[in-house]
Amino acid sequence: MGRIFSGVQPTGNLHLGNYLGAIRNWVRLQHSFECLFCIVDLHAITVWQDPAELRKSTREVAAGLLAAGIDPARNVVFHQSSVPGHAQLAWVFNCVARLGWLNRMTQFKEKAGKDRENASVGLYAYPNLMAADILLYKATHVPVGEDQKQHLELARDIAQKFNNDFGVGTFPVPEPLILGPAARVMSLRDGTRKMSKSDPSDYSRINMTDDADAIALKVRKAKTDPEPLPDTLAGLDARPEAANLVGLYAALLDLDREGALTRVAGRPFSEFKVELTDVAVSVLGPINAEMKRLAADPAHVDAVLREGGERARALAAPVLDEVFEVVGFLKT
Ligand code: AMP
Ligand code: TRP
């Protein structure tokens, strides 16, 4: 059995993209792998976070994972800052990774924007920390969305360079697991942009905390075009909004896009949107209710994270010892 590590940032609301692109897959993977699921607060502060909001989001993401069906007894669910080894191994990797490698990272370029001189050093070194997350537990598989593939490639390079430089076999080279038909859920306001926590318009996304009324309103307001739905997938080609809604419908029903389209082909959006709302509410409704219950019981969520942190520290300790030994740090 392989070991999985994956992470999600506690920065704002979890949305349907996070659920369909990541969390739902994690729920499924817990049956065939040993899994660590981490709320990556150290990654979050690579851009400014309001401290009170960060704490709130950390609990909310934990609640979202539990509500979606991740079993904290069977998996290790924890927050990154509770395990010092992430930052310690990241430092070692800062000294293994090369400037040239990091200069190629497209997410840094996007996030730093034009004002690169003013980006935090942490934002630049972010992929090294991500490599540390994974390799601190010698994880073999990493479920990630499309957007994280380049970072995982870098983690693989770091594992190999470390092993080569020191002539050891310390780290396995982790494999990506890219799953599901909804690897990319797009904004409800613009079918060419990713659904994102950081989009200023709340109408662009369906949050995991949205109730049935909010979901209905957002689907009703979702951008579309005047044509009815086509009969074939090719008919969605130049219609990004229609393609996104059909993709969502398919993912929610766990069908492929072709199968989903045959159910709704020829319908006007007014009808299709009612159907899509029903499906979204039936999937998210129970999760949403459980998140509300957990929001009212923060002590329970904190206890789950505390226990997860203890288990993660116990798994990390021997790996960190091994790395320190290999690197030549004196043990006194
Ligand atoms: P983030 O919200 O960036 O911390 O991402 C957490 C996880 O959700 C990662 O595995 C992402 O790849 C995934 N994810 C985020 N946004 C989307 C989206 N719009 N569609 C599909 N997956 C997404
Ligand atoms: N960078 C990832 C994201 O923004 C989150 C993350 C941090 C992660 N560490 C990880 C994902 C390790 C997979 C494995 O989505």
Side-chain angles (χ1 to χ4, degrees):
M1 188 156 81
R3 181 181 277 176
I4 277 186
F5 185 99
S6 203
V8 58
Q9 298 200 47
T11 48
N13 290 326
L14 286 178
H15 53 74
L16 202 52
N18 296 129
Y19 179 67
L20 296 172
I23 298 169
R24 185 174 67 173
N25 297 326
W26 299 0
V27 174
R28 293 173 180 173
L29 290 166
Q30 65 183 333
H31 302 293
S32 26
F33 289 89
E34 180 189 358
C35 302
L36 293 106
F37 298 120
C38 183
I39 302 161
V40 290
D41 48 7
L42 302 180
H43 277 103
I45 63 163
T46 57
V47 297
W48 170 253
Q49 302 298 329
D50 175 78
E53 281 296 314
L54 180 61
R55 239 185 304 275
K56 180 167 164 270
S57 294
T58 303
R59 287 198 180 104
E60 190 176 294
V61 171
L65 299 183
L66 302 179
I70 289 175
D71 176 358
R74 162 174 215 137
N75 309 283
V76 182
V77 179
F78 70 110
H79 64 302
Q80 198 180 21
S81 60
S82 69
V83 184
H86 290 257
Q88 292 172 290
L89 186 59
W91 180 260
V92 174
F93 289 170
N94 283 343
C95 304
V96 172
R98 307 288 91 183
L99 280 179
W101 298 2
L102 289 176
N103 284 339
R104 289 196 286 273
M105 295 295 114
T106 55
Q107 186 179 294
F108 174 76
K109 291 177 197 162
E110 276 161 29
K111 285 201 182 173
K114 288 201 182 72
D115 194 10
R116 198 174 293 188
E117 297 284 305
N118 202 29
S120 75
V121 175
L123 188 66
Y124 187 72
Y126 176 119
N128 295 344
L129 177 60
M130 181 162 157
D133 297 341
I134 299 164
L135 296 171
L136 184 59
Y137 305 97
K138 299 192 178 183
T140 54
H141 294 83
V142 182
V144 285
E146 276 304 318
D147 57 331
Q148 296 298 319
K149 262 169 76 178
Q150 195 185 31
H151 289 159
L152 190 63
E153 234 2 271
L154 190 91
R156 292 164 56 86
D157 290 344
I158 288 176
Q160 276 163 333
K161 186 167 193 307
F162 182 95
N163 289 347
N164 280 338
D165 285 355
F166 294 101
V168 292
T170 302
F171 293 118
V173 180
E175 297 289 336
L177 281 177
I178 302 215
L179 300 158
R184 233 169 125 81
V185 177
M186 311 309 278
S187 158
L188 299 180
R189 308 299 297 162
D190 176 352
T192 62
R193 292 207 341 258
K194 224 175 70 156
M195 186 176 284
S196 156
K197 290 169 183 163
S198 54
D199 194 312
S201 166
D202 201 50
Y203 284 105
S204 69
R205 66 186 155 257
I206 294 176
N207 299 309
M208 283 174 71
T209 48
D210 285 342
D211 61 17
D213 290 342
I215 294 172
L217 182 65
K218 287 176 179 179
V219 173
R220 198 157 62 238
K221 285 191 176 277
K223 189 176 167 198
T224 51
D225 55 45
E227 300 298 317
L229 287 166
D231 300 327
T232 61
L233 284 181
L236 290 170
D237 276 353
R239 300 173 64 186
E241 282 80 22
N244 185 38
L245 294 185
V246 170
L248 264 182
Y249 180 69
L252 286 164
L253 284 173
D254 231 341
L255 295 170
D256 60 26
R257 280 154 44 99
E258 201 157 25
L261 187 59
T262 54
R263 295 192 179 200
V264 293
R267 301 233 206 130
F269 276 104
S270 53
E271 270 178 39
F272 171 55
K273 282 181 165 181
V274 173
E275 170 90 18
L276 178 60
T277 300
D278 287 348
V279 174
V281 169
S282 73
V283 171
L284 286 184
I287 296 178
N288 178 278
E290 180 63 6
M291 282 180 81
K292 283 215 176 86
R293 198 185 68 75
L294 289 169
D297 190 3
H300 172 70
V301 174
D302 288 7
V304 167
L305 291 177
R306 193 179 319 117
E307 214 235 45
E310 276 166 24
R311 286 165 62 199
R313 285 194 296 276
L315 291 170
V319 181
L320 206 60
D321 276 353
E322 184 183 344
V323 169
F324 281 15
E325 171 73 27
V326 166
V327 169
F329 292 160
L330 181 65
K331 194 165 183 184
T332 52

